[in-house]
Amino acid sequence: LQGYSEQVFEKAELLRYILKERIQATKSAEAVCDLQLCLKLLTLDIISSIGFGFNSNSIMTLLPQKHPKALSQAAKEQELEFMKASENLMYETQTRTGEPILLRYLPHRYLPWRWARKVMDERITNVLNSGDASKVNMLKVLQNAHEGERKMSRAELRDEMLTLLIAGHETTGYTTSWALYEVARHPEVQEKIAAETSALDLGSLPLTQVQSLLPYTWMVWQEALRLHPTLFHFPRAAEADTTLGGKYNIPAGAVVFTLQGILAHSEEVWGKDSMTFRPERMENGYPEQHFPFGFGNRTCIGKRLAYVEGVYLLAFLVKNFRLKISETSPVPTSRVTLTHHADEGLHVSLSER
């Protein structure tokens, strides 16, 4: 994590610049922005940099159209190509679990999947063949990792990077945007974060110190992840015949789903106020019944990165902007596809501190 701090800060600074430009473009002291889209693009740029080692600036597509630094339409499409490819691969990863194998070869699914694989493979190949070691990236770390004399194959590297995309892109982006939305709804929480960050130079804050120096912001992000779980269920396939709880017989090959969305809102686990946003409940961490990044040997490889990146971005944005819910902002409608997000986006009014 230590080696990724500068890259995260650089991308966060770029978002701050864009949001300031959007406020100035309104010729008023504030602007309504879709933070879900902002954080989705920002976290894609971050994971592209620290995960794959290439410079993605999809966040630049949010600049006002007449801005002198605004991208051309062709440049916008090029910036968003990787996002579209990763979204397709993540959708197929989820959809293929437990479905008849022939369905994945229907033309409307197979052709986009083949294109997405091509885009991903080209990016991975370019990074692995590059001699540029100026920036640390996870892909090269995984390439050099080995178990005994065995190293990962290209297929295994691609699968690991897809996992990192899920944890470091949509999971982090959506959770952080939900956290900002809840902060906008709860001014007292917002001011506590602002107070916690007031004496800190976030530009030089190592990611390894995020939890120790931002304990309240950490609880806020954890509570947002609980109240708005990004992944609602986790599939697990039985490798052998087994029995769960002494009474449920699970044959080998059967797929079992753990419903994280239900556990996250359970009154039995969280109490009668389980549907209330209350960061203080996270003071002692999660109970064992809550596992937003999976469990066991299949715990998400990007768990730690998602936490520190999300908490850092939450602190960074609250330190630089005041957030409130605008009267004209649409009420978000939750939708769960591969991940949990708002259909209309999460629109929040921003003004500079």
Side-chain angles (χ1 to χ4, degrees):
L1 291 178
Q2 183 70 34
Y4 304 139
S5 302
E6 182 181 349
Q7 297 171 65
V8 172
F9 174 69
E10 286 176 359
K11 297 301 183 183
E13 269 290 299
L14 183 56
L15 176 60
R16 184 170 75 95
Y17 167 76
I18 291 170
L19 293 176
K20 287 176 64 176
E21 293 298 301
R22 288 172 68 94
I23 293 172
Q24 291 181 13
T26 66
K27 297 182 179 180
S28 68
E30 60 184 32
V32 176
C33 299
D34 179 3
L35 290 181
Q36 181 174 272
L37 178 59
C38 289
L39 269 297
K40 180 178 181 179
L41 295 177
L42 176 63
T43 52
L44 175 66
D45 290 344
I46 290 173
I47 199 62
S48 296
S49 176
I50 67 179
F52 291 81
F54 62 83
N55 189 32
S56 171
N57 286 314
S58 63
I59 193 71
M60 292 290 287
T61 61
L62 298 180
L63 276 172
Q65 188 173 2
K66 296 182 179 180
H67 193 279
K69 294 184 179 180
L71 300 178
S72 66
Q73 187 59 38
K76 284 183 179 181
E77 291 177 1
Q78 183 177 5
E79 285 290 348
L80 297 177
E81 180 187 56
F82 187 65
M83 182 181 73
K84 293 176 182 177
S86 65
E87 287 178 343
N88 177 273
L89 290 174
M90 288 188 287
Y91 170 79
E92 284 294 329
T93 298
Q94 181 74 2
T95 305
R96 291 181 178 196
T97 303
E99 74 168 3
I101 193 171
L102 289 177
L103 293 180
R104 68 186 64 171
Y105 292 104
L106 294 174
H108 74 280
R109 284 182 54 189
Y110 179 72
L111 294 178
W113 173 80
R114 190 172 66 174
W115 168 81
R117 281 281 299 270
K118 181 175 181 290
V119 170
M120 182 72 72
D121 287 342
E122 286 177 352
R123 291 293 178 104
I124 290 176
T125 298
N126 289 341
V127 172
L128 295 181
N129 292 342
S130 169
D132 181 14
S134 59
K135 287 188 177 181
V136 179
N137 70 78
M138 294 182 182
L139 184 55
K140 287 201 170 184
V141 171
L142 288 173
Q143 181 192 28
N144 295 328
H146 55 85
E147 187 173 333
E149 297 183 357
R150 182 184 176 276
K151 290 189 175 183
M152 287 188 180
S153 66
R154 285 294 174 95
E156 289 172 324
L157 283 171
R158 183 180 59 243
D159 289 345
E160 290 294 346
M161 296 315 295
L162 182 57
T163 301
L164 283 172
L165 277 173
I166 295 173
H169 172 209
E170 288 200 346
T171 301
T172 309
Y174 286 158
T175 299
T176 307
S177 58
W178 279 116
L180 289 163
Y181 183 79
E182 291 293 348
V183 163
R185 292 179 64 234
H186 297 83
E188 72 286 358
V189 172
Q190 184 172 171
E191 292 313 308
K192 287 182 181 179
I193 295 176
E196 185 171 72
T197 61
S198 62
L200 294 177
D201 177 11
L202 296 183
S204 61
L205 178 67
L207 292 180
T208 52
Q209 296 181 25
V210 164
Q211 185 173 8
S212 61
L213 296 180
L214 296 168
Y216 183 74
T217 311
W218 187 278
M219 290 192 292
V220 172
W221 198 84
Q222 280 190 309
E223 176 70 345
L225 180 59
R226 179 199 68 83
L227 193 59
H228 305 282
T230 310
L231 299 175
F232 260 59
H233 61 262
F234 294 96
R236 291 291 185 268
E239 292 185 347
D241 294 345
T242 189
T243 302
L244 294 181
K247 58 181 178 179
Y248 299 106
N249 295 320
I250 309 296
V255 177
V256 176
F257 287 85
T258 56
L259 301 180
Q260 181 61 33
I262 293 178
L263 289 171
H265 298 158
S266 169
E267 289 189 5
E268 184 179 340
V269 177
W270 303 101
K272 292 185 178 181
D273 66 343
S274 62
M275 297 306 295
T276 301
F277 182 74
R278 186 168 63 83
E280 289 74 14
R281 78 169 83 243
M282 294 299 171
E283 193 166 2
N284 296 318
Y286 286 145
E288 63 180 7
Q289 298 95 325
H290 190 53
F291 33 85
F293 289 92
F295 52 92
N297 293 334
R298 295 293 181 179
T299 297
C300 178
I301 190 176
K303 175 182 176 179
R304 182 67 178 171
L305 172 63
Y307 267 114
V308 297
E309 179 188 340
V311 174
Y312 178 88
L313 295 176
L314 173 59
F316 182 90
L317 289 170
V318 172
K319 183 179 178 69
N320 287 284
F321 298 96
R322 289 185 176 87
L323 299 85
K324 68 178 183 179
I325 304 299
S326 169
E327 294 180 357
T328 60
S329 298
V331 177
T333 303
S334 292
R335 174 176 289 276
V336 179
T337 50
L338 174 59
T339 50
H340 173 215
H341 56 279
D343 251 354
E344 308 84 355
L346 293 169
H347 298 264
V348 171
S349 178
L350 300 174
S351 59
E352 290 188 69
R353 286 190 182 270

